Amino acid sequence: MREIGIEQLADIARGAGILGTGGGGDPYVGLLLAREAVRRHGPVTVVDIDEVPADATVVPISSMGAPTVLLEKLPSGREEINALRALEAVLGRPATHLVPIEIGGVNSMIPLAAAAQTGLPIVDGDAMGRAFPEAQMVLPGLIGVSNSPMALADDKGNTIVVRAVDNTEAERIARAVCVERGCQISCADTVLRGDQLRDGLVPATLTLAENLGRVVREAHAAHRDPVAEARELLGGVHLSAGKVVDVERRTEGGFARGRARLEGEGAVLELDFQNEHLLARRDGRVVATTPDLICVLDTETGEPVTTEGLRYGLRVTVLAAPCDPRWLSPAGLALTGPRYFGYDLDHHPLSG
Amino acid sequence: MREIGIEQLADIARGAGILGTGGGGDPYVGLLLAREAVRRHGPVTVVDIDEVPADATVVPISSMGAPTVLLEKLPSGREEINALRALEAVLGRPATHLVPIEIGGVNSMIPLAAAAQTGLPIVDGDAMGRAFPEAQMVLPGLIGVSNSPMALADDKGNTIVVRAVDNTEAERIARAVCVERGCQISCADTVLRGDQLRDGLVPATLTLAENLGRVVREAHAAHRDPVAEARELLGGVHLSAGKVVDVERRTEGGFARGRARLEGEGAVLELDFQNEHLLARRDGRVVATTPDLICVLDTETGEPVTTEGLRYGLRVTVLAAPCDPRWLSPAGLALTGPRYFGYDLDHHPLSG
């Protein structure tokens, strides 16, 4: 058990931004939300997975939508709490802990803000070990945990509770509501008991995000290579470094979809994304795929570059890092592998 | 208190089809649904408004969507019951009575089918006195009754409960879910206490539908003029009789929208519709508008012609009949008048 105060938030947001593989929302937006909540309500208590009682009610809180929209339509903090309260009402019991559903710039900070607001402890971990674009892409789904009831809340005070026959149906219904509500909605879903956390979460990812964010900050301040130090910490591989020469982007179906092209090191690197990076090709050859992490960092500062932040002229370095091994199981790949996203290819193993 | 058995259903479906002003779903589809339920479960008990105890929990059951889609994607009966049960679960009490939300070919029959299935009595009345395209267009809205919680159920077993800040927000959210679920979803919402029925319902519209359906059937069988007898019973006016020469139709935003053109009696009659008929123009001049009833009947048989059933060559007669007077109040017109639907004109008073 430890506390997260104002001073840790920037590192967590930066690190989570890198782990978010381009998605999960802009780290700066996430930082603003969490900073305001912690300033107003005080620090957040963080507990490790093995500190959580077996009968605890652990609730992931997140924001669903297109990160391109999130930049202009910030959650107020009220809708996350509305989603939480709507979920608690149908559960018939209060949440005892909050947890991020994913590690990403905004979606790791929203639960911190909600934890500050509610006084609930937050669990050090998340349900993906990265960010993924769709609600059913969570480790709890692999152990039979339902994402229903799923509580949604918009910025106007409306709440919606979805009870779906499977996790993908819940995603589809929630996404339709999300799109109609302006491509941004807050969610509370995929409730875990304390004794499900070991199988349902990637442990200690808030700590990993904080370490990663600190390493990058310190390396940059000391004029070392922040990207190299981040890669080392993640056990990742270098895919390419260069200049963004083209970005094609559309906000579609409640997602930010598109493709970016980088030139550098005598090669062309192409990145396909749906909120998160899905696929990297170097000179037309696939070099990394979902569910591995494809991370884009500012080459000079090591700051994460989200898919909605990609723009012509940016100097970036692209890394790939191994995902949680459970995603490489047949069931994990069925949920998050390249074929789910319509690519006719298998997961590409990373080579260092 | 009386019973509705198989033998009354066809008349009710026909009459409700006429009162549905082109919307509310195809009467034949409605008849099939109700007939099957009554055949299987027995007759339905119908009670008058003043027979309902003050503390009764009266639940409207309906189908939302585009009638063009309903023709091919029939409710199974299961989803209406799922919506009812989901609503009861959040209300924390069971329904004591069912009621149609609107009088229309399918939407007056679905509650009859659900009443047969559940054994609950049905109240003789409805919340519109006709059919309207959107969920907030109900008399209970004029007396401050919320349509939240609104329970929705699809054909796959998924349920969604919406709690909105106002009735129009609930409609928007539900419509988005409806569209994503294939433009057809079942609803239980706008719960009334027994002592709210007098202000919240148009009384005795199931009986009116049955009488209207019988009058038309008997007049046709006796080689009298079924349309004239229907007009007389409704206190309506004749707008035109002729041949459908053009129909422009699109399924859009969860509605069937379009325009039809009739030629006859030396004039051109144009009808604009959004599920229901909104506006009638004769030779370019407005002759009837929502919220008055604009009813299209087969000239020979008097059978109702729904907006999705309009097609080239049909010989039809168009009537207009006065709506419930509460719709002509400023609040009523704000909900259902021509300006709500984007027309820059006031309600056109009917003249006989």
Side-chain angles (χ1 to χ4, degrees), chain A residues 153 159 231 270 282 312:
Chain A
T159 62
R231 188 185 70 226
E270 280 182 317
R282 192 163 47 204
Y312 179 85

Side-chain angles (χ1 to χ4, degrees), chain A residues 158-159 163 165 169 181, chain B residues 158-159 161 163 165 169 181:
Chain A
N158 302 301
T159 62
R163 287 183 190 270
V165 293
E169 287 281 282
R181 299 283 94 187
Chain B
N158 302 300
T159 62
V161 174
R163 287 183 190 268
V165 293
E169 286 280 282
R181 298 284 95 185

